[in-house]
Every structure is written in structure tokens, then in C-alpha cells.
Amino acid sequence: SGNRQSPRNLCRTSDECLEFHQPRPRKGMYDLDNHRTTKARPDAYIFPNKLRLSYKERTGRDYDKKWPEPPGVDFARNGSTGPDVQDLLNIDLKVKSEHRLCDKQYDAEMQQFYLHHKGSIEAISILIEANSRHNGHFQRLLDFFQEKFDKDERQCRRRQRRARAVLGSDSQNKEKSRLRGSNADEIKEDDFEEDDTEEGRSESIYEKIFGKFISLVERRTADSWRWDPLEPGDIWRTIHFWAYSGSMTEPPCFESVKWRVMDVPMRISDSQYDQLKKLMFDHVDPETCRKTSSDYKGSNARPVQPYRGGGYYRCRRSDYVGDKERKASGRRNGFRDKKDWRGVALLPWVEGEFPNV
């Protein structure tokens, strides 16, 4: 291991903030929904130690003009002299959080990795806290991974049925089930099979009509409803953070990653947290039907790494205010009265975790 390994436990620091404006997001062309207006979709992966949303990397000359454009962020002090938006490459989800604030470990963590065209990596860490209201925007991300989860489970079950058929046991099992007056096993296996009954066909027609209506609504509101990894309010609740130079949190754990750990956690409901854990810990390999998770005691987070030097700083409201508040107030330091302060996209300002350290 190197001298600047991640994750870190961040708390007190006397170093000054080195940034002069908020991270400035770009929405991009990608969406999670599969409707006619969708120009591109990221890929969903369920790995043994994380959930990953992967965006296509743009490389080569005129990379910034290549289609489709992924989400991105313009960071202050990213090595460029002017505005320079870095493309989002991956989003990883971990349970529990890898980073900690003043020894507090959170329920989960979303890590967003942005690649600079010169090769440097900037990472945003959004800590996740359960036991709150339902988070609609985050649910769309969970549903996207649920599609992958269900697809792999269906493939596993198909392989199991084929294997039993080859061994000549499939028909025997069905006959035994019929004689017992129970078809529980078949019901379980055929949960995802199409219903060929009249009722099933009626539901299919209804679903098609309803689907066309939804598609029409989506076409008219596609841009405003496009899934955004930095959706104001639901995902992105602050423009301030702790920052330090660290590493990736899995092998080969190479360093020179600039981390920004946002100082207000994202909130989700208990049921969403349960779904997140199920996606991570109960996923099965579609080829072997074995669980893929490498979790240890309900967590796939790398332990906090010992501090071996290297500064880190915290950016607060006293260092800069949001771009929109600056414009709305006409003042570089934003509104004077605290009741008028604004945070992300002119939403009410939210005080960061551990404000007095």
C-alpha cells in the first residue's frame, strides 16, 4: 500500500479550502429509462463488492464532440485554466460507507468517478443515510439495477430447468407435485414466465395501452425527468465537502485520485436500503446460480486506511456560495441573512455534518 490510501476518516483540519466555486454539473444525454427519447443508457453491473453504473468513455481527438455526451462536472482546481467539464465514467454503490466523518460510518456510499481527458481522476463521495422519506430519484437507480438482478435470476432458473430436463427428472417432479396437489415449486420457477391465459393476454393489452400513454408523457417531459447523478435535492444536497488526495479503494488501489466527500448525506427510506442490500448480497451468477457477493458481516466496504501524511481541507459556505445564489443576490458572498441562504440550485441551504469541527 502507498502513502495516500483511501478511504479516510475525515474530521478536523486546519488547512484552507483551495477551491473557489462549487462543482458545476452537466446533465448529459444518458438516461436509465428505455423510451423513445432515450439517446443512451449506461450499463449496470453487480459485482461481488459493489453495484456499478458504467458510462462509455470518450477518448481521442475532439473527444468532447463525440456522441453520446455523458454527465460531467466542472471542478475548481482540476488542472485547467478555464471551464473544463470532466466526463462521468462510473458510479459505484457500497454498503456500508467507506469514508467516515468524525468516526461516523454511514449506511451506504455512492462514489462517482470523473475522468479528465489528461488522465487524472476526480471522485465525488455521497454518503447515504437510511431511515428517512422515500427518495424518488434514487429509486429509479435501484429499479435499473433490479432489472439486471431479475434478468440474471431468470437465466439461472432457465439453466436449472434445462439441467433437470436433461437428467430426466423434470417431468417426474411435476407429476409428483400434481399428485400432492401442490405446484409451489413450479410457481416459484415460473414467476417470470409470460401468462398465456385469457386473463394474461388482457393484462398484456392493457399494459401496452398504458405503456403508450406513459411513453407519450415521457416524450413531452423527457429532459426534465432524465435521471441525473447529481439531481438537486434527492442526490445532491450540498455544494460543500471535505477534499483530499487519495486512492481507489480496491486493487490495485492506485493513488492520485482527488476525493471530494460531500458534507450532507443523501437520505433514503428503510425499504430502499433493504432493496439496496438485497441487490448486493442476494444476486446470483446467471451461469452457476451461486451468490456473487463477497460481503463480510453485511458490508463490502474497504476499512479506513491509516493516515500517512498529506493534507486535506474542508470547503464551507464561508469559502464560496452557490452560483445561482451569487447571481440571485448580486453579491459574491450571497445573501446576508441566514434565512435567505441557498444551497444546491437555490434550494434551502442545509448545514453540513459536524459544522463545528
Side-chain angles (χ1 to χ4, degrees):
S1 62
N3 291 325
R4 296 186 177 181
Q5 286 291 294
S6 298
R8 294 270 296 274
N9 177 32
L10 304 168
C11 195
R12 299 184 182 277
T13 175
S14 58
D15 293 353
E16 294 183 1
C17 173
L18 301 179
E19 309 194 24
F20 53 91
H21 68 69
Q22 69 167 75
R24 293 166 174 164
R26 177 190 66 203
K27 202 165 191 176
M29 299 176 176
Y30 283 75
D31 198 1
L32 302 183
D33 297 329
N34 189 19
H35 49 66
R36 295 180 183 179
T37 59
T38 301
K39 298 179 180 178
R41 299 177 88 196
D43 295 316
Y45 299 97
I46 302 179
F47 291 124
N49 64 334
K50 62 179 174 285
L51 305 183
R52 167 164 287 183
L53 201 64
S54 182
Y55 293 81
K56 185 177 180 180
E57 180 181 352
R58 300 190 296 176
T59 59
R61 297 182 60 184
D62 298 324
Y63 82 100
D64 56 335
K65 298 179 182 178
K66 292 182 178 179
W67 183 91
E69 181 182 66
V73 172
D74 175 18
F75 296 100
R77 295 184 61 86
N78 64 357
S80 300
T81 56
D84 191 1
V85 179
Q86 297 179 215
D87 287 352
L88 177 60
L89 190 61
N90 296 316
I91 297 177
D92 291 349
L93 288 166
K94 302 284 186 77
V95 172
K96 296 186 176 233
S97 74
E98 294 191 313
H99 287 91
R100 303 189 186 199
L101 301 182
C102 298
D103 297 319
K104 180 180 178 180
Q105 185 176 29
Y106 293 79
D107 295 312
E109 182 173 346
M110 175 189 288
Q111 299 172 347
Q112 303 180 0
F113 297 96
Y114 295 83
L115 181 64
H116 196 279
H117 64 91
K118 294 181 180 179
S120 61
I121 295 179
E122 310 266 350
I124 289 179
S125 164
I126 299 176
L127 304 169
I128 300 176
E129 205 165 45
N131 194 24
S132 185
R133 64 176 178 82
H134 181 82
N135 187 319
H137 206 70
F138 185 68
Q139 186 62 49
R140 294 176 64 189
L141 180 61
L142 291 177
D143 292 343
F144 191 65
F145 280 110
Q146 190 70 51
E147 290 180 18
K148 169 65 174 171
F149 183 98
D150 293 342
K151 179 181 178 182
D152 289 348
E153 188 173 41
R154 287 195 300 269
Q155 185 173 336
C156 160
R157 289 179 178 179
R158 283 195 296 268
R159 292 180 67 86
Q160 288 177 329
R161 287 195 292 270
R162 292 192 193 106
R164 283 194 294 270
V166 170
L167 295 174
S169 63
D170 190 63
S171 59
Q172 296 177 13
N173 290 337
K174 288 185 177 180
E175 180 64 16
K176 289 179 181 179
S177 178
R178 186 184 68 81
L179 293 174
R180 288 195 306 266
S182 169
N183 61 348
D185 292 338
E186 281 68 34
I187 291 174
K188 183 177 180 182
E189 290 176 354
D190 295 337
D191 279 343
F192 300 98
E193 299 279 335
E194 291 185 2
D195 188 352
D196 292 329
T197 63
E198 187 66 31
E199 182 181 356
R201 287 193 292 271
S202 299
E203 289 178 354
S204 178
I205 294 172
Y206 171 77
E207 288 173 357
K208 287 181 180 179
I209 295 174
F210 184 72
K212 288 183 180 180
F213 170 74
I214 293 299
S215 179
L216 176 63
V217 174
E218 286 174 339
R219 286 199 301 272
R220 294 182 177 179
T221 61
D223 187 65
S224 61
W225 281 96
R226 191 182 310 157
W227 192 82
D228 185 355
L230 288 177
E231 173 73 9
D234 278 350
I235 308 293
W236 196 30
R237 301 184 63 225
T238 180
I239 57 174
H240 300 115
F241 47 79
W242 276 269
Y244 74 99
S245 180
S247 72
M248 303 297 288
T249 62
E250 55 195 57
C253 301
F254 66 86
E255 299 183 347
S256 299
V257 177
K258 176 65 175 294
W259 282 94
R260 292 172 176 84
V261 182
M262 310 310 289
D263 69 0
V264 176
M266 174 173 65
R267 293 178 176 176
I268 63 175
S269 68
D270 286 334
S271 62
Q272 289 177 311
Y273 186 48
D274 290 340
Q275 183 180 3
L276 176 62
K277 290 187 290 185
K278 182 177 177 61
L279 290 169
M280 287 191 182
F281 305 144
D282 293 344
H283 173 256
V284 295
D285 187 300
E287 301 296 327
T288 66
C289 293
R290 294 179 178 177
K291 288 190 176 182
T292 59
S293 176
S294 61
D295 67 288
Y296 177 70
K297 294 184 178 180
S299 174
N300 50 26
R302 187 189 190 193
V304 169
Q305 298 301 294
Y307 176 69
R308 294 191 177 96
Y312 67 94
Y313 55 86
R314 182 178 184 180
C315 293
R316 308 171 186 260
R317 181 182 170 85
S318 57
D319 298 302
Y320 59 78
V321 298
D323 293 341
K324 291 189 176 182
E325 181 183 345
R326 186 180 300 175
K327 183 176 180 180
S329 65
R331 301 178 68 250
R332 182 177 180 276
N333 296 326
F335 293 108
R336 290 188 176 89
D337 294 337
K338 188 172 183 178
K339 62 180 179 61
D340 297 325
W341 289 0
R342 291 292 179 266
V344 178
L346 287 181
L347 293 173
W349 180 74
V350 181
E351 190 168 58
E353 298 276 273
F354 306 101
N356 299 320
V357 301

